[in-house]
Amino acid sequence: MNYTDGYTRTCGLIGNPVKHTMSPLIHNSLASMTGINMVYVPFEVKEKELKNAIKGAVALDIQGMNVTIPYKTDVIPFLEDVDPLAKAIGAVNTLVRTENGGFKGYNTDMTGLYHAMQDEGIELKDQTVVILGAGGVARPTAFLCANKGAKKVYILNRTFEKAVDVADEVNLALELNDSDEKVVPMLLGDYRKVLESEDSFIAIQCTSVGLFPDVNSAVIEDEEFYKKVSSAMDLVYRPLQTKFLKLAKEAGARTFSGLKMLLYQGIDAYELWNEDKGIKITKDQADEIYRSMMLEVVGASNIVLEGFMGSGKSTVSELLSEELMLELIDTDEVIEDTEGRTINEIFETEGEASFREMETDLLEAIDSDHWREFVISLGGGMPVKEENRELLRKIGKVVYLRAKPETIFERVKDDDKRPLLKTEDPLAKIKDLLEERAAFYEDVADMIIDTDGKTPLEITKEIIDKLGL
Ligand code: NAP
């Protein structure tokens, strides 16, 4: 929680709607990471109130604002100054307070997209780029590509006139004359003309097609198109894996969601607001916020792995935490560390019921202390108690690693640290216990992964894929 007092710097977002914005997550996390006494608040502003909102923001000494749909262009007349690049683009998304008591507008959508591309290793110089769409975000995208040395930029749009407008504006602003034909407008349905004249290109998806809940659509569905895509970036980030990205991936392209652009447009804005304090966000800080944003998009505070002993939870949770750069918690290990005894010893001295109580206490602590952004590997019996299942639903997305009894037996038969298997016929015991527990695992699971015959890496990749990360 951000600390506030009489010195707190206030920044915010104006737009309509703003209810689902991720900007407070970005900026309030940056403030707490960099030790800046700042809070960031979204403001839903009605169209007729836009001018008053800007005047009011000055009066309230608000230091910086983001501007989102539908005001990125409409806000310009109310600004004291506009950065030349933003002026050329004709849209601003970041306002910074000036000394004269007004705001100066910038376009960090463009710089943010550039930083995201740099971070992902996408090189624009001498490349052909196909931009799908000619709306608000296609405009800075086209400017960026032309400005950073792309050989040719095609703008394909359903409404041809809009593609022409954007192409003309970019060509004019960058003083490219007609003979250069650097930015070329085209009707979306004519995309095959691009395929005829280009061997390979970067495709940047700037339409709203594929945006949640319309997740099964892509603006072009023809496989032939994707065969020529080297890198594909979808500026839509809900869901992270859009149909456009899936088609591009299947055709062998490198794929990137728009979430990093969102992150970096925020970082660039934050650095502008705090220029007086010399704030520069490090790669590690950016990565940390990116992880929070990814989990926010998939609606998970934590990723929780459940399953019977030998289902692969320990290995898979380690791989998952490495792959997603999230910290790992193994509930059995936490209990052993807290108690200073092994689980075997707890079972022998206090019995299973007492151990189960300890598990519930731990889940309650995770829930009430709001532990977030962990991969949590659960003890095998944890979901049996209804109380635990209720807590599990609150603390994250639960992934059930399912395995057949024979597979489990093969995996654990030589492990003498398993108290429940200290029996004459461990396979029969596994079958009994599994039958008893399977319904509980399934009841609480957000997703079930069958692990028989799969390597831990394959299982990890399947989880990441199914989570849409
Ligand atoms: P916009 O100004 O409303 O433009 C929408 C674009 O999508 C237009 O080119 C429109 O074509 C096209 N389109 C809409 N429905 C279509 C359909 N059924 N078939 C073909 N084309 C269609 O929106 P925007 O501000 O450019 O934003 C577009 C998307 O980018 C948003 O949905 C948002 O998710 C994403 N975005 C991401 C970031 C980020 O930071 N990652 C930032 C801004 C936006 P017409 O011109 O023919 O109508």
Side-chain angles (χ1 to χ4, degrees), residues 73-355:
T73 300
D74 295 352
V75 76
I76 291 177
F78 311 125
L79 304 180
E80 193 195 314
D81 193 6
V82 182
D83 169 68
L85 207 54
K87 196 179 267 173
I89 295 169
V92 300
N93 73 316
T94 297
L95 311 183
V96 182
R97 274 298 291 279
T98 62
E99 280 174 6
N100 301 332
F103 283 108
K104 178 172 178 180
Y106 294 83
N107 193 305
T108 66
D109 277 337
M110 191 186 104
T111 56
L113 176 58
Y114 183 51
H115 290 142
M117 285 182 155
Q118 284 182 310
D119 202 49
E120 306 286 21
I122 304 174
E123 179 59 67
L124 289 166
K125 192 151 177 46
D126 298 328
Q127 300 297 310
T128 298
V129 183
V130 174
I131 294 175
L132 302 174
V137 80
R139 200 173 283 259
T141 304
F143 265 88
L144 174 72
C145 297
N147 205 16
K148 293 293 174 191
K151 188 167 62 182
K152 197 156 197 169
V153 181
Y154 292 92
I155 301 180
L156 273 61
N157 199 43
R158 180 179 61 175
T159 313
F160 180 62
E161 295 71 28
K162 286 198 204 163
V164 173
D165 285 351
V166 176
D168 284 353
E169 278 171 32
V170 181
N171 284 328
L172 187 72
L174 301 180
E175 294 175 350
L176 306 165
N177 60 44
D178 276 355
S179 60
D180 289 334
E181 278 197 325
K182 187 149 182 172
V183 185
V184 182
M186 200 175 270
L187 188 65
L188 181 65
D190 288 342
Y191 67 88
R192 281 179 174 274
K193 288 187 188 162
V194 178
L195 305 185
E196 279 158 22
S197 47
E198 303 292 342
D199 292 333
S200 155
F201 50 80
I202 297 169
I204 309 180
Q205 205 300 113
C206 299
T207 77
S208 41
V209 179
L211 184 66
F212 182 84
D214 177 29
V215 294
N216 291 319
S217 306
V219 69
I220 294 177
E221 305 215 344
D222 181 354
E223 285 175 12
E224 293 305 310
F225 175 82
Y226 295 95
K227 282 183 188 162
K228 293 210 167 176
V229 175
S230 54
S231 295
M233 189 173 229
D234 197 332
L235 301 196
V236 167
Y237 51 83
R238 277 182 209 273
L240 288 175
Q241 286 284 341
T242 57
K243 174 97 182 272
F244 167 79
L245 290 184
K246 281 183 194 150
L247 288 166
K249 197 176 192 173
E250 276 162 25
R254 297 169 70 219
T255 57
F256 309 95
S257 87
L259 198 64
K260 251 190 198 164
M261 171 183 173
L262 184 72
L263 166 71
Y264 279 104
Q265 64 74 33
I267 287 178
D268 290 351
Y270 186 82
E271 288 181 349
L272 281 170
W273 297 330
N274 295 294
E275 215 166 18
D276 57 331
K277 299 189 188 306
I279 295 290
K280 283 276 165 220
I281 302 304
T282 64
K283 171 88 171 83
D284 283 351
Q285 288 170 327
D287 285 347
E288 195 175 328
I289 296 187
Y290 187 64
R291 286 195 293 276
S292 310
M293 292 168 74
M294 277 200 315
L295 289 181
E296 174 84 17
V297 173
V298 299
S301 340
N302 300 291
I303 298 167
V304 184
L305 296 191
E306 62 157 2
F308 202 71
M309 66 179 85
S311 60
K313 280 173 304 186
S314 306
T315 322
V316 173
S317 58
E318 263 173 42
L319 287 171
L320 207 53
S321 86
E322 274 167 30
E323 198 75 23
L324 299 176
M325 294 184 291
L326 298 174
E327 258 184 76
L328 171 64
I329 302 172
D330 181 310
T331 59
D332 284 349
E333 279 174 18
V334 174
I335 293 173
E336 285 187 336
D337 286 351
T338 315
E339 291 294 310
R341 293 172 288 170
T342 65
I343 293 173
N344 260 339
E345 285 164 352
I346 299 171
F347 265 65
E348 276 160 19
T349 52
E350 293 176 43
E352 184 177 345
S354 186
F355 176 71

Side-chain angles (χ1 to χ4, degrees), residues 404-414 425-427 430:
K404 293 192 177 116
E406 294 73 18
T407 310
I408 291 168
F409 177 68
E410 277 309 309
R411 288 177 184 161
V412 300
K413 64 181 183 206
D414 301 323
D425 186 351
L427 179 58
I430 290 170

